[in-house]
Amino acid sequence: MEELPAADPAPAPVPVSISAPAPTPGSVPVPVPEPEPVPAPVTVPVAPDSGESVIATSALTKRYRGGQLAVDRLDLAVPAGSVFGFLGPNGSGKTTTIRMLMGLIEPTSGTARVLGRPMPGASRAVLPHVGALIEGPALYGFLSGRDNLMRYDAADPTADPRTRRTRVAAALDRVGLTPAAGKKAKAYSLGMKQRLGLAAALLQPRRLLVLDEPTNGLDPQGMREIRALIREVASEGTTVFLSSHLLDEIEQVCTHAAVMAQGRLIAQGAVAELAAGARGRLVVTTPDVGDAARVLKEQGITDVVVEENRVTGEPPGRELADITAALVAAGVRVRGFGLERASLEDAFVALTGEGFDVAG
């Protein structure tokens, strides 16, 4: 593990080398309601990547004035080298957690360690090794995209000014903004601003990249490009911590994930192991969807859903051969039959009893 310089006992405020500085006036975190009881956290056993946690929290808690609990006793472990999905509906405490990890707000209680050092106390030592995009990028609208990145780079005390233009050009190219580099940021679309914020986070090689809803405002093609970029960054050895409310996004790019609900951790582990803990769906492919649905219900199959050329339902607690025989006996032309692999959505619903956005 790379040796970090020793943190001062009480460091003075310094410029933070992340793409979203402390919130501007008025961007006060919105308190969340006192959470209802949720299931106890489930941790799926995962073989360690290197024995090192890039992010580790213990009983991390944030309670706002008035007693509203935003994050409740969070125990999180992010393995080195992982693409870690921080998953939960809007308002589940994800952004509040990230802001505590980055030293932007103080926790009420508990501890957080990033790159092996306590936060926010070691911010001066840790943040030069972290790139982040939090709550959207803070941009100067009257400056071009290129000049915004020049400003960001100049604020980084570790950046070599002699290679600044080269780094800025490379970052713009990496996120597909070279053609719009000279355009003023106020004329950028939301998706372009997200790309520019990501470029700012990638100006320097980082040990940790923290992204809060990085595909917000992007069209489907833009989402695919950002996901490919995340995979590329991870392949270079950077640990990526990705917050999202999109289940599909987490499942496509992440190796590990944590599920949040109402400020509490519900589960964490390898994505494949989380999904494996849930039961898949019974799927019948047939042109006779009406008859197939009727037979499945007669056979005690619940949650039957009819689609264009297939019918799905909850897996039965009996032999699948009996279901097949009943379909054939009823004259249903079965083109395909079996259990579909459980998805992260299935796992989330099984853990929390609810669902949320899965598009991406």
Side-chain angles (χ1 to χ4, degrees):
M1 174 176 175
E2 178 184 342
E3 191 68 27
L4 293 177
D8 295 339
V14 295
V16 178
S17 59
I18 60 178
S19 66
T24 55
S27 59
V28 179
V30 178
V32 299
E34 188 75 21
E36 298 294 329
V38 294
V42 176
T43 300
V44 178
V46 180
D49 294 79
S50 65
E52 174 192 5
S53 288
V54 171
I55 295 174
T57 69
S58 177
L60 188 66
T61 299
K62 181 63 179 179
R63 187 182 292 274
Y64 290 116
R65 294 175 185 175
Q68 295 90 347
L69 197 59
V71 177
D72 186 11
R73 301 186 301 276
L74 177 63
D75 295 328
L76 201 60
V78 177
S82 64
V83 180
F84 194 97
F86 198 38
L87 178 64
N90 291 326
S92 60
K94 303 188 305 297
T95 298
T96 298
T97 299
I98 290 175
R99 296 181 71 202
M100 287 190 284
L101 293 174
M102 295 295 96
L104 297 175
I105 58 175
E106 292 268 0
T108 303
S109 61
T111 61
R113 299 181 70 85
V114 177
L115 301 180
R117 303 296 298 274
M119 292 295 282
S123 296
R124 185 190 297 272
V126 170
L127 291 177
H129 300 270
V130 179
L133 174 59
I134 304 172
E135 293 184 313
L139 303 174
Y140 293 101
F142 62 92
L143 293 179
S144 68
R146 180 186 296 106
D147 287 342
N148 267 279
L149 293 190
M150 296 288 284
R151 288 287 186 95
Y152 271 115
D153 196 74
D156 186 344
T158 69
D160 184 349
R162 296 171 297 181
T163 55
R164 179 163 297 142
R165 289 189 176 278
T166 300
R167 282 196 308 279
V168 167
L172 286 166
D173 183 64
R174 206 167 189 188
V175 300
L177 278 181
T178 299
K183 191 175 182 179
K184 288 186 177 181
K186 66 182 179 182
Y188 277 17
S189 66
L190 177 58
M192 292 170 70
K193 290 176 180 177
Q194 285 293 101
R195 289 173 183 268
L196 191 60
L198 188 55
L202 295 171
L203 281 168
Q204 295 263 41
R206 309 290 185 183
R207 291 180 56 191
L208 172 64
L209 186 60
V210 178
L211 305 175
D212 187 16
E213 303 281 359
T215 58
N216 184 35
L218 297 178
D219 59 22
Q221 178 60 29
M223 289 182 176
R224 286 190 290 270
E225 291 172 359
I226 295 303
R227 289 169 182 164
L229 179 57
I230 290 170
R231 296 188 193 100
E232 178 187 326
V233 170
S235 72
E236 296 168 356
T238 300
T239 302
V240 180
F241 185 81
L242 169 64
S243 167
S244 179
H245 68 285
L246 301 175
L247 283 154
D248 187 53
E249 182 162 84
I250 298 296
E251 193 159 24
Q252 287 190 43
V253 301
C254 294
T255 60
H256 298 70
V259 180
M260 292 283 288
Q262 299 174 330
R264 299 182 185 180
L265 179 68
I266 301 300
Q268 66 178 318
V271 169
E273 296 293 339
L274 287 172
R279 302 175 71 195
R281 298 276 292 174
L282 176 68
V283 178
V284 180
T285 304
T286 175
D288 308 317
V289 291
D291 290 336
R294 174 181 53 78
V295 172
L296 291 182
K297 290 177 182 178
E298 291 172 352
Q299 294 297 311
I301 305 300
T302 59
D303 191 22
V304 175
V305 177
V306 177
E307 300 174 10
E308 183 178 354
N309 63 348
R310 69 178 202 161
V311 182
T312 68
E314 286 294 311
R318 51 189 286 206
E319 286 290 333
L320 293 181
D322 295 340
I323 309 298
T324 309
L327 288 166
V328 173
V332 175
R333 292 169 290 175
V334 178
R335 303 278 172 79
F337 183 89
L339 288 179
E340 193 172 61
R341 182 182 66 85
S343 67
L344 193 57
E345 179 185 3
D346 297 322
F348 182 86
V349 172
L351 288 165
T352 68
E354 60 178 297
F356 56 98
D357 291 351
V358 297

